[in-house]
Amino acid sequence: MQKTDFKERAALYKSYLLDNVMPFWMEHSIDKEHGGFFTCLDRKGRVFDKDKFMWLQCRQVWTLSMLYNNVENNAAWLDAAKAGATFLEQFGRNKNGDWYFSLDQSGKPLMEAYNIFSDCFATMAFAQLCKATGNKLYGEIAKQTFENILSRKDNPKGRFSKQVNGTRDLKGFSLPMILCNLVLEIEHLLDPELVQRTLEMGVKEVMEVFYKEEYDLILENVGANGEFVDCFEGRLVNPGHGLEAMWFIMDIATKWNDKALVQKCVDISLRILEYGWDDRYGGLFYFMDLKGYPPQQLEWDQKLWWVHVEAMITALKGYRLTGNQECLAWYEKLHAYTWEHFVDKEYAEMYGYLNRRGEVLLNLKGGKWKGCFHVPRALYQLSKLSQELANAPISPSLMHS
């Protein structure tokens, strides 16, 4: 295998971030009339729907603030983040402090706060903006929202849950997975004991409850007591979710200097990559059934942008921390697939949705689910990791990110 030029890769990712992706969002997504951001953007950046989805609004505030804090003090990014936060403060929450799912362009609520994922990204957004500005009000919003998340974590959908209690009580992987990353994002605002306790809870859930050693895979749903449930939901595997969670936990393991936990993350990641890869057409499947039955999700065989960029981070971070050559080989495979299929060679940003064969299924650059988040975050992470690898030889004992 040809040796990877990590200096060249670091430059590629940083250039694509700063010269392609962020200019696209800065030019096309800012609503100068009502505030907030447009996320439904076609291939060229034209707005095709003006509704505002809270988790994407929050994610964009986070992205702009994070890049301001970590890449360059770009005043335009910070101004856009503060303007987005003003819109969120004014319109984003109901009287109980729960963040809506969606608003119309002017800020009138369209869809109630039917789960707490808008809250998770609001917490991240205001915590990063607090760090960027020093404004304690932003920090208070982040802390209040985080407390709300913790109070609802055992029943995140509340009255909006479709489940009938007592028949087949399931709990989902998404919340403990997000908490593993969320707490690291806001630890500068929290009591250290709460940080440690929440991280321990998140890692235990991911690595001991949703990860099933007998299958060597992470499930999307388990029974209320962590048991395997043999039904559509109980057999569901989302390779992208599992891989994204593994780099979150690698970051926690690095914080704890826990080499065994890093190695376990790497081992699980390699298994998910092997399991989820489409040997016929390339790329990672979106959904799979643990027992090989037909998944209920009709989009199961689509290839999605976030799955692949998150997998790239996981593979490269695994290589950075352990020197594992399989991680490097998977990173190269994922990089090649992503740059060949998702990167638009003519216009800015990445496509989001491909069919199984790797052909563009929807040529949008943003929508109800795709916004200014996964691509810029991945480019930042990949550039940083590549630069670290360019600067220092890999060592199996390396344990800093």
Side-chain angles (χ1 to χ4, degrees), residues 172-210:
F173 177 65
S174 297
L175 184 57
M177 167 196 153
I178 287 175
L179 280 174
C180 287
N181 179 243
L182 176 59
V183 175
L184 291 183
E185 281 285 331
I186 66 167
E187 66 175 320
H188 60 286
L189 298 174
L190 301 178
D191 179 85
E193 289 186 11
L194 176 59
V195 170
Q196 183 66 15
R197 190 167 64 248
T198 309
L199 289 178
E200 288 174 356
M201 179 272 293
V203 170
K204 181 178 175 63
E205 284 285 297
V206 172
M207 304 300 281
E208 299 179 26
V209 177
F210 288 90

CSV table of all heavy atoms in Angstrom, one decimal, residues 172-210:
chain,number,residue,atom,x,y,z
A,172,GLY,N,-33.2,3.4,23.3
A,172,GLY,CA,-32.5,3.6,22.1
A,172,GLY,C,-31.0,4.0,22.4
A,172,GLY,O,-30.7,4.5,23.5
A,173,PHE,N,-30.2,3.8,21.4
A,173,PHE,CA,-28.7,4.0,21.5
A,173,PHE,C,-28.4,5.5,21.4
A,173,PHE,O,-27.4,5.9,21.9
A,173,PHE,CB,-28.1,3.2,20.4
A,173,PHE,CG,-26.6,3.4,20.3
A,173,PHE,CD1,-25.7,2.9,21.3
A,173,PHE,CD2,-26.0,3.9,19.1
A,173,PHE,CE1,-24.4,3.1,21.2
A,173,PHE,CE2,-24.6,4.1,19.0
A,173,PHE,CZ,-23.8,3.7,20.1
A,174,SER,N,-29.2,6.2,20.7
A,174,SER,CA,-28.8,7.6,20.3
A,174,SER,C,-28.4,8.5,21.5
A,174,SER,O,-27.4,9.2,21.5
A,174,SER,CB,-29.9,8.3,19.5
A,174,SER,OG,-30.1,7.6,18.3
A,175,LEU,N,-29.2,8.4,22.5
A,175,LEU,CA,-29.0,9.4,23.6
A,175,LEU,C,-27.7,9.1,24.4
A,175,LEU,O,-26.9,10.0,24.6
A,175,LEU,CB,-30.2,9.4,24.6
A,175,LEU,CG,-30.1,10.4,25.7
A,175,LEU,CD1,-29.8,11.9,25.2
A,175,LEU,CD2,-31.3,10.4,26.6
A,176,PRO,N,-27.5,7.8,24.9
A,176,PRO,CA,-26.2,7.6,25.5
A,176,PRO,C,-25.0,7.9,24.6
A,176,PRO,O,-24.0,8.4,25.1
A,176,PRO,CB,-26.3,6.1,26.0
A,176,PRO,CG,-27.4,5.5,25.2
A,176,PRO,CD,-28.3,6.6,24.9
A,177,MET,N,-25.1,7.6,23.4
A,177,MET,CA,-24.1,7.9,22.4
A,177,MET,C,-23.8,9.4,22.4
A,177,MET,O,-22.6,9.8,22.5
A,177,MET,CB,-24.5,7.4,21.0
A,177,MET,CG,-23.6,7.9,19.9
A,177,MET,SD,-24.5,7.6,18.3
A,177,MET,CE,-23.8,9.0,17.3
A,178,ILE,N,-24.8,10.2,22.2
A,178,ILE,CA,-24.7,11.7,22.2
A,178,ILE,C,-24.1,12.2,23.5
A,178,ILE,O,-23.2,13.1,23.5
A,178,ILE,CB,-26.0,12.3,21.8
A,178,ILE,CG1,-26.3,12.1,20.3
A,178,ILE,CG2,-25.9,13.8,22.1
A,178,ILE,CD1,-27.7,12.6,19.9
A,179,LEU,N,-24.5,11.7,24.6
A,179,LEU,CA,-24.1,12.1,25.9
A,179,LEU,C,-22.6,12.0,26.0
A,179,LEU,O,-21.9,12.8,26.6
A,179,LEU,CB,-24.8,11.4,27.0
A,179,LEU,CG,-26.2,11.9,27.4
A,179,LEU,CD1,-26.8,11.0,28.4
A,179,LEU,CD2,-26.2,13.4,27.9
A,180,CYS,N,-22.0,10.9,25.4
A,180,CYS,CA,-20.6,10.7,25.5
A,180,CYS,C,-19.8,11.8,24.9
A,180,CYS,O,-18.7,12.2,25.3
A,180,CYS,CB,-20.2,9.4,24.8
A,180,CYS,SG,-20.7,7.9,25.7
A,181,ASN,N,-20.3,12.4,23.8
A,181,ASN,CA,-19.7,13.6,23.2
A,181,ASN,C,-20.1,14.9,23.8
A,181,ASN,O,-19.3,15.8,24.0
A,181,ASN,CB,-20.0,13.6,21.7
A,181,ASN,CG,-19.4,14.7,20.9
A,181,ASN,OD1,-20.2,15.6,20.4
A,181,ASN,ND2,-18.1,14.8,20.9
A,182,LEU,N,-21.4,15.0,24.2
A,182,LEU,CA,-21.9,16.2,24.7
A,182,LEU,C,-21.2,16.7,26.0
A,182,LEU,O,-20.9,17.8,26.1
A,182,LEU,CB,-23.4,16.0,24.9
A,182,LEU,CG,-24.2,17.2,25.6
A,182,LEU,CD1,-24.1,18.4,24.7
A,182,LEU,CD2,-25.6,16.8,25.8
A,183,VAL,N,-21.0,15.7,26.9
A,183,VAL,CA,-20.3,16.1,28.1
A,183,VAL,C,-18.9,16.6,27.9
A,183,VAL,O,-18.5,17.6,28.6
A,183,VAL,CB,-20.3,14.9,29.1
A,183,VAL,CG1,-19.6,15.2,30.4
A,183,VAL,CG2,-21.8,14.5,29.4
A,184,LEU,N,-18.2,16.0,27.0
A,184,LEU,CA,-16.8,16.6,26.7
A,184,LEU,C,-16.9,18.0,26.1
A,184,LEU,O,-16.0,18.8,26.4
A,184,LEU,CB,-16.1,15.6,25.7
A,184,LEU,CG,-15.7,14.3,26.3
A,184,LEU,CD1,-14.9,13.5,25.2
A,184,LEU,CD2,-14.8,14.4,27.6
A,185,GLU,N,-18.0,18.2,25.4
A,185,GLU,CA,-18.2,19.5,24.8
A,185,GLU,C,-18.4,20.6,25.8
A,185,GLU,O,-18.0,21.8,25.6
A,185,GLU,CB,-19.4,19.5,23.8
A,185,GLU,CG,-19.1,18.9,22.5
A,185,GLU,CD,-18.3,19.8,21.6
A,185,GLU,OE1,-18.4,21.0,21.7
A,185,GLU,OE2,-17.5,19.3,20.7
A,186,ILE,N,-19.1,20.3,26.9
A,186,ILE,CA,-19.5,21.3,27.8
A,186,ILE,C,-18.8,21.2,29.2
A,186,ILE,O,-19.3,21.8,30.2
A,186,ILE,CB,-21.0,21.3,28.0
A,186,ILE,CG1,-21.5,20.0,28.6
A,186,ILE,CG2,-21.7,21.5,26.6
A,186,ILE,CD1,-23.0,20.1,29.1
A,187,GLU,N,-17.8,20.3,29.3
A,187,GLU,CA,-17.2,20.1,30.6
A,187,GLU,C,-16.7,21.4,31.3
A,187,GLU,O,-16.6,21.4,32.5
A,187,GLU,CB,-16.2,19.0,30.6
A,187,GLU,CG,-14.9,19.3,29.8
A,187,GLU,CD,-13.9,18.2,30.0
A,187,GLU,OE1,-13.8,17.6,31.1
A,187,GLU,OE2,-13.2,17.8,29.0
A,188,HIS,N,-16.3,22.4,30.5
A,188,HIS,CA,-15.9,23.6,31.1
A,188,HIS,C,-16.9,24.4,31.9
A,188,HIS,O,-16.6,25.3,32.6
A,188,HIS,CB,-15.3,24.5,30.0
A,188,HIS,CG,-16.3,24.9,28.9
A,188,HIS,ND1,-16.7,24.0,28.0
A,188,HIS,CD2,-16.9,26.1,28.7
A,188,HIS,CE1,-17.5,24.6,27.1
A,188,HIS,NE2,-17.7,25.9,27.6
A,189,LEU,N,-18.2,23.9,31.7
A,189,LEU,CA,-19.3,24.6,32.4
A,189,LEU,C,-19.9,23.8,33.6
A,189,LEU,O,-20.7,24.2,34.3
A,189,LEU,CB,-20.5,24.8,31.4
A,189,LEU,CG,-20.2,25.7,30.2
A,189,LEU,CD1,-21.4,25.7,29.3
A,189,LEU,CD2,-19.9,27.2,30.7
A,190,LEU,N,-19.4,22.5,33.7
A,190,LEU,CA,-20.0,21.6,34.7
A,190,LEU,C,-19.0,21.3,35.8
A,190,LEU,O,-17.8,21.4,35.7
A,190,LEU,CB,-20.3,20.3,33.9
A,190,LEU,CG,-21.3,20.4,32.7
A,190,LEU,CD1,-21.5,19.0,32.1
A,190,LEU,CD2,-22.6,21.0,33.2
A,191,ASP,N,-19.7,20.8,36.9
A,191,ASP,CA,-18.9,20.3,38.0
A,191,ASP,C,-18.2,19.0,37.6
A,191,ASP,O,-18.8,18.2,37.0
A,191,ASP,CB,-19.9,20.0,39.2
A,191,ASP,CG,-19.2,19.4,40.4
A,191,ASP,OD1,-18.7,20.2,41.2
A,191,ASP,OD2,-19.1,18.1,40.5
A,192,PRO,N,-16.9,18.9,37.9
A,192,PRO,CA,-16.1,17.7,37.5
A,192,PRO,C,-16.7,16.4,37.9
A,192,PRO,O,-16.6,15.4,37.1
A,192,PRO,CB,-14.7,17.9,38.1
A,192,PRO,CG,-14.6,19.4,38.3
A,192,PRO,CD,-16.0,19.9,38.6
A,193,GLU,N,-17.3,16.3,39.0
A,193,GLU,CA,-18.0,15.1,39.5
A,193,GLU,C,-19.1,14.7,38.6
A,193,GLU,O,-19.3,13.5,38.2
A,193,GLU,CB,-18.5,15.2,40.9
A,193,GLU,CG,-17.3,15.2,41.9
A,193,GLU,CD,-17.9,15.2,43.4
A,193,GLU,OE1,-19.1,14.9,43.6
A,193,GLU,OE2,-17.1,15.4,44.3
A,194,LEU,N,-19.9,15.7,38.1
A,194,LEU,CA,-21.0,15.4,37.2
A,194,LEU,C,-20.5,15.0,35.9
A,194,LEU,O,-21.0,14.1,35.3
A,194,LEU,CB,-21.9,16.7,37.0
A,194,LEU,CG,-23.0,16.6,36.0
A,194,LEU,CD1,-24.0,15.5,36.4
A,194,LEU,CD2,-23.7,17.9,35.9
A,195,VAL,N,-19.4,15.6,35.4
A,195,VAL,CA,-18.8,15.2,34.2
A,195,VAL,C,-18.4,13.7,34.2
A,195,VAL,O,-18.7,12.9,33.4
A,195,VAL,CB,-17.5,16.1,33.9
A,195,VAL,CG1,-16.7,15.5,32.7
A,195,VAL,CG2,-17.9,17.5,33.6
A,196,GLN,N,-17.6,13.4,35.3
A,196,GLN,CA,-17.1,12.0,35.4
A,196,GLN,C,-18.3,11.0,35.5
A,196,GLN,O,-18.3,9.9,34.9
A,196,GLN,CB,-16.2,11.9,36.7
A,196,GLN,CG,-15.6,10.5,36.9
A,196,GLN,CD,-14.6,10.1,35.8
A,196,GLN,OE1,-14.2,11.0,35.0
A,196,GLN,NE2,-14.3,8.8,35.7
A,197,ARG,N,-19.3,11.3,36.3
A,197,ARG,CA,-20.4,10.4,36.5
A,197,ARG,C,-21.2,10.2,35.2
A,197,ARG,O,-21.6,9.1,34.9
A,197,ARG,CB,-21.3,11.0,37.6
A,197,ARG,CG,-22.4,10.1,38.1
A,197,ARG,CD,-23.1,10.6,39.3
A,197,ARG,NE,-23.8,11.9,39.1
A,197,ARG,CZ,-23.4,13.0,39.7
A,197,ARG,NH1,-22.3,13.1,40.4
A,197,ARG,NH2,-24.1,14.1,39.5
A,198,THR,N,-21.4,11.3,34.5
A,198,THR,CA,-22.2,11.2,33.2
A,198,THR,C,-21.4,10.4,32.1
A,198,THR,O,-21.9,9.6,31.4
A,198,THR,CB,-22.6,12.6,32.7
A,198,THR,OG1,-23.2,13.3,33.7
A,198,THR,CG2,-23.5,12.4,31.5
A,199,LEU,N,-20.1,10.7,32.1
A,199,LEU,CA,-19.2,9.9,31.1
A,199,LEU,C,-19.2,8.4,31.5
A,199,LEU,O,-19.3,7.6,30.6
A,199,LEU,CB,-17.8,10.5,31.2
A,199,LEU,CG,-17.6,11.9,30.5
A,199,LEU,CD1,-16.1,12.3,30.7
A,199,LEU,CD2,-18.0,11.9,29.1
A,200,GLU,N,-19.1,8.1,32.7
A,200,GLU,CA,-19.1,6.7,33.1
A,200,GLU,C,-20.4,6.0,32.7
A,200,GLU,O,-20.4,4.9,32.3
A,200,GLU,CB,-18.8,6.6,34.6
A,200,GLU,CG,-17.4,6.9,35.0
A,200,GLU,CD,-17.2,6.9,36.5
A,200,GLU,OE1,-18.2,6.7,37.3
A,200,GLU,OE2,-16.0,7.0,37.0
A,201,MET,N,-21.5,6.7,33.0
A,201,MET,CA,-22.8,6.2,32.6
A,201,MET,C,-22.9,6.0,31.1
A,201,MET,O,-23.3,4.9,30.6
A,201,MET,CB,-23.9,7.2,33.1
A,201,MET,CG,-25.3,6.7,32.7
A,201,MET,SD,-25.9,7.3,31.1
A,201,MET,CE,-26.0,9.0,31.4
A,202,GLY,N,-22.5,7.0,30.3
A,202,GLY,CA,-22.5,6.9,28.8
A,202,GLY,C,-21.7,5.7,28.3
A,202,GLY,O,-22.1,5.0,27.4
A,203,VAL,N,-20.5,5.6,28.8
A,203,VAL,CA,-19.5,4.6,28.3
A,203,VAL,C,-20.1,3.2,28.7
A,203,VAL,O,-20.0,2.3,27.9
A,203,VAL,CB,-18.1,4.8,28.9
A,203,VAL,CG1,-17.2,3.6,28.6
A,203,VAL,CG2,-17.5,6.1,28.3
A,204,LYS,N,-20.6,3.1,29.9
A,204,LYS,CA,-21.2,1.8,30.3
A,204,LYS,C,-22.3,1.4,29.4
A,204,LYS,O,-22.4,0.2,29.0
A,204,LYS,CB,-21.6,1.9,31.8
A,204,LYS,CG,-22.2,0.6,32.3
A,204,LYS,CD,-22.6,0.7,33.8
A,204,LYS,CE,-23.3,-0.5,34.3
A,204,LYS,NZ,-22.5,-1.7,34.3
A,205,GLU,N,-23.2,2.3,29.1
A,205,GLU,CA,-24.4,2.0,28.3
A,205,GLU,C,-23.9,1.6,26.9
A,205,GLU,O,-24.4,0.6,26.3
A,205,GLU,CB,-25.3,3.3,28.1
A,205,GLU,CG,-26.1,3.5,29.4
A,205,GLU,CD,-27.3,2.6,29.5
A,205,GLU,OE1,-28.2,2.6,28.6
A,205,GLU,OE2,-27.3,1.8,30.5
A,206,VAL,N,-23.0,2.4,26.3
A,206,VAL,CA,-22.5,2.0,24.9
A,206,VAL,C,-21.8,0.7,24.9
A,206,VAL,O,-22.0,-0.2,24.0
A,206,VAL,CB,-21.7,3.2,24.4
A,206,VAL,CG1,-21.0,2.8,23.0
A,206,VAL,CG2,-22.5,4.5,24.2
A,207,MET,N,-20.8,0.5,25.8
A,207,MET,CA,-19.9,-0.6,25.7
A,207,MET,C,-20.3,-1.8,26.4
A,207,MET,O,-19.8,-2.9,26.1
A,207,MET,CB,-18.5,-0.1,26.3
A,207,MET,CG,-17.9,1.1,25.7
A,207,MET,SD,-17.6,1.0,23.9
A,207,MET,CE,-16.1,0.0,23.9
A,208,GLU,N,-21.3,-1.7,27.3
A,208,GLU,CA,-21.7,-2.9,28.0
A,208,GLU,C,-23.2,-3.3,27.8
A,208,GLU,O,-23.6,-4.4,28.1
A,208,GLU,CB,-21.5,-2.8,29.5
A,208,GLU,CG,-20.0,-2.6,29.8
A,208,GLU,CD,-19.7,-2.4,31.3
A,208,GLU,OE1,-20.6,-2.9,32.1
A,208,GLU,OE2,-18.7,-1.8,31.7
A,209,VAL,N,-24.0,-2.3,27.3
A,209,VAL,CA,-25.4,-2.6,27.1
A,209,VAL,C,-25.8,-2.7,25.7
A,209,VAL,O,-26.3,-3.7,25.2
A,209,VAL,CB,-26.3,-1.5,27.8
A,209,VAL,CG1,-27.8,-1.7,27.6
A,209,VAL,CG2,-26.0,-1.4,29.3
A,210,PHE,N,-25.4,-1.7,24.9
A,210,PHE,CA,-25.8,-1.7,23.4
A,210,PHE,C,-24.8,-2.5,22.6
A,210,PHE,O,-25.2,-3.1,21.6
A,210,PHE,CB,-25.9,-0.3,22.9
A,210,PHE,CG,-27.2,0.4,23.4
A,210,PHE,CD1,-27.1,1.1,24.6
A,210,PHE,CD2,-28.4,0.3,22.7
A,210,PHE,CE1,-28.3,1.8,25.1
A,210,PHE,CE2,-29.5,0.9,23.2
A,210,PHE,CZ,-29.5,1.6,24.4
